[in-house]
């Protein structure tokens, strides 16, 4: 999430065309269809692209102002590094004093605790200090990476989500280094909230797409929503997938936020085992009807790596996932194989992966 203020704005035709081009390349938004209207916002450090179906029937000015305000509110609520409810909660958690947490944060804490347990700690939003040590709390992360002593100290007895004690709405932190960073799952909740708000405004069919992480509601008559899946190593798409109503598609990749340091790509998905950017996969994409799970699962699969990702997908109850490897191979679960239409040149690099049966 970025420090830049959310700047909702309906774009003029020229800029809108340009933006659509950028979104197609950078975020793999669905191809623009003439029967939809589009609004573009800036929130969570990314462009949020809203597609409404059918075209011409919605009060776009009202939607723009109300959804823009809601996105801005969510950005403020869940930003770990700005003064705000999460910043205040973080200060209190670190001090170990009991306090009443606002509902907006409780929901994320609850999900994060459950996800940390399910992933054996690979997904751990209590590691905000580690993420910040790499510089990923900044708008434009540029390094340097943390010194070896700093990393060693952070990894000695790292905080876990389970170090937050909860009694109703009262919380108490049990670890001085605990710092919540919801960057790995808040977008999931944000797209869901965005769609809820659109529904309240009378919209029945829409996509809310936050920089390539998106969820659908309803669907156009006579066709599905068609979404491109980006190839992390080129400006092309690997292929496309058709989504029905209420489906979320989330991707985590090494190309998103990061910097080059001594020839190595340092990106913002951190493996808690090494304390370093996850290695082994270039991207992980998850399709699920729970957007928070889809968001966190994509991050987790990136961390799990080339060997273990099918096992973690299974643990998380994710049946529809695909990952890309540095050599360009695409690995996917059997269930998603039939849903993705790959570009012809990609088909020779595809491999189906099955999780070994649980012991
Ligand atoms: P994006 O926001 O680009 O879609 P992700 O969903 O993969 O990317 O989230 C990456 C963010 O998740 C990081 O910026 C950081 O805030 C947070 N994060 C990094 N490592 C972890 C981890 N091991 N567990 C939980 N959250 C993490
Ligand atoms: Mg994520």
């Amino acid at each position: 999430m970025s420090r830049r203020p959310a700047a909702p704005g309906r774009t003029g035709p020229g800029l809108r065309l340009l933006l659509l081009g950028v979104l197609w390349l950078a975020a793999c938004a669905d191809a623009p269809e003439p029967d939809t209207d589009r609004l573009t916002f800036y929130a969570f450090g990314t462009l949020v692209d809203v597609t409404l179906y059918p075209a011409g029937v919605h009060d776009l000015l009202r939607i723009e102002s109300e959804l823009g305000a809601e996105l801005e509110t969510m950005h403020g609520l869940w930003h770990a590094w700005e003064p705000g409810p999460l910043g205040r909660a973080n200060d209190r958690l670190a001090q170990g004093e009991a306090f009443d947490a606002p509902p907006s944060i409780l929901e994320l804490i609850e999900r994060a605790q459950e996800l940390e347990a399910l992933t054996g700690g690979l997904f751990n939003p209590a590691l905000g200090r580690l993420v910040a040590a790499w510089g990923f709390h900044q708008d434009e992360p540029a390094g340097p990476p943390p010194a070896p002593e700093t990393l060693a100290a952070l990894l000695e007895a790292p905080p876990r989500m389970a170090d937050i004690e909860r009694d109703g709405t009262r919380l108490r932190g049990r670890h001085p280094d605990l710092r919540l960073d919801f960057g790995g799952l808040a977008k999931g909740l944000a797209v869901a909230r965005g769609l809820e708000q659109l529904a309240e405004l009378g919209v029945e069919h829409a996509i809310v797409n936050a920089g390539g992480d998106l969820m659908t509601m309803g669907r156009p008559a006579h066709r599905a929503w068609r979404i491109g899946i980006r190839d992390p190593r080129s400006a092309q798409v690997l292929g496309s997938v058709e989504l029905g109503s209420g489906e979320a598609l989330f991707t985590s990749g090494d190309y998103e936020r990061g910097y080059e340091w001594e020839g190595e790509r340092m990106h913002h998905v951190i493996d808690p085992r090494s304390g370093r950017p996850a290695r082994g996969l270039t991207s992980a994409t998850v399709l699920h009807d729970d957007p928070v799970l889809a968001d966190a699962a994509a991050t987790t699969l990136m961390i799990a790596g080339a060997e273990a990702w099918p096992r973690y997908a299974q643990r998380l109850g994710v049946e529809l996932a695909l990952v890309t490897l540095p050599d360009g191979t695409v690995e996917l679960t059997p269930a998603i194989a039939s849903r993705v239409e790959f570009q012809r040149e990609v088909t020779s690099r595809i491999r189906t992966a099955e999780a070994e049966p649980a012991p």
Side-chain angles (χ1 to χ4, degrees):
M1 298 187 199
S2 150
R3 230 160 266 173
R4 256 188 283 170
R10 203 146 113 233
T11 48
L15 181 60
R16 189 181 295 188
L17 260 185
L18 179 69
L19 274 178
L20 287 179
V22 170
L23 280 168
W24 172 251
L25 293 176
C28 288
D30 50 322
E33 298 281 355
D35 56 359
T36 59
D37 277 325
R38 291 212 168 195
L39 295 170
T40 304
F41 304 84
Y42 185 85
F44 307 112
T46 190
L47 288 172
V48 178
D49 181 49
V50 174
T51 304
L52 305 167
Y53 172 92
V57 304
H58 301 104
D59 184 345
L60 295 182
L61 278 177
R62 175 153 183 236
I63 291 172
E64 178 178 79
S65 102
E66 298 201 11
L67 186 56
E70 177 70 13
L71 290 171
E72 206 165 338
T73 301
M74 289 190 278
H75 176 103
L77 283 176
W78 299 329
H79 201 295
W81 312 107
E82 282 174 9
L86 185 55
R88 281 192 290 279
N90 267 329
D91 291 342
R92 292 199 167 134
L93 287 169
Q95 286 154 9
E97 61 183 60
F99 66 102
D100 277 309
S104 60
I105 291 174
L106 284 175
E107 181 175 356
L108 282 168
I109 289 179
E110 205 168 291
R111 294 303 307 270
Q113 287 186 322
E114 164 199 310
L115 288 158
E116 182 197 40
L118 269 175
T119 62
L122 283 200
F123 187 79
N124 181 359
L127 292 176
R129 267 191 206 287
L130 182 59
V131 174
W134 284 89
F136 293 122
H137 59 312
Q138 289 157 357
D139 275 352
E140 310 284 340
E149 324 64 272
T150 312
L151 258 193
L154 283 165
L155 292 181
E156 210 180 287
R160 300 176 313 142
M161 287 305 301
D163 291 322
I164 300 178
E165 269 174 23
R166 181 169 168 196
D167 180 7
T169 60
R170 271 190 104 60
L171 301 181
R172 184 197 288 271
R174 291 292 184 197
H175 197 300
D177 289 340
L178 199 151
R179 181 117 205 142
L180 294 171
D181 168 358
F182 290 134
L185 76 166
K187 248 196 252 173
L189 194 55
V191 298
R193 289 268 175 89
L195 286 175
E196 279 166 26
Q197 202 194 19
L198 288 172
E200 280 164 26
L201 292 166
V203 177
E204 288 178 33
H205 313 280
I207 299 180
V208 175
N209 181 342
D213 290 332
L214 58 94
M215 185 166 184
T216 62
M217 170 174 76
R219 55 180 285 176
H222 315 304
R223 66 179 171 88
W225 302 108
R226 182 179 283 277
I227 310 290
I229 298 174
R230 177 178 163 170
D231 181 345
R233 289 293 179 267
S234 78
Q236 308 299 315
V237 292
L238 293 170
S240 64
V241 59
E242 291 197 341
L243 300 185
S245 180
E247 291 195 301
L249 187 74
F250 276 70
T251 297
S252 187
D254 68 359
Y255 50 86
E256 286 286 354
R257 266 170 77 70
Y259 50 89
E260 304 296 320
W261 195 263
E262 293 173 352
E264 211 184 326
R265 174 83 188 152
M266 302 301 181
H267 64 86
H268 69 153
V269 178
I270 307 292
D271 184 338
R273 298 166 296 192
S274 63
R276 304 177 60 81
R279 293 279 170 252
L281 296 179
T282 43
S283 70
T285 299
V286 171
L287 203 173
H288 202 277
D289 58 11
D290 174 348
V292 176
L293 179 67
D295 192 356
T299 308
T300 303
L301 300 191
M302 264 302 278
I303 300 168
E307 290 290 312
W309 75 265
R311 213 165 62 237
Y312 280 87
Q314 198 178 45
R315 277 163 80 155
L316 286 161
V318 166
E319 287 183 3
L320 300 161
L322 71 80
V323 303
T324 59
L325 278 68
D327 68 1
T329 305
V330 178
E331 281 194 2
L332 35 65
T333 58
I336 206 172
S338 56
R339 300 248 343 229
V340 183
E341 198 177 308
F342 286 100
Q343 303 280 59
R344 194 159 342 130
E345 58 276 19
V346 177
T347 47
S348 60
R349 314 189 245 134
I350 299 171
R351 215 158 50 201
T352 308
E354 303 249 16
E356 298 138 32

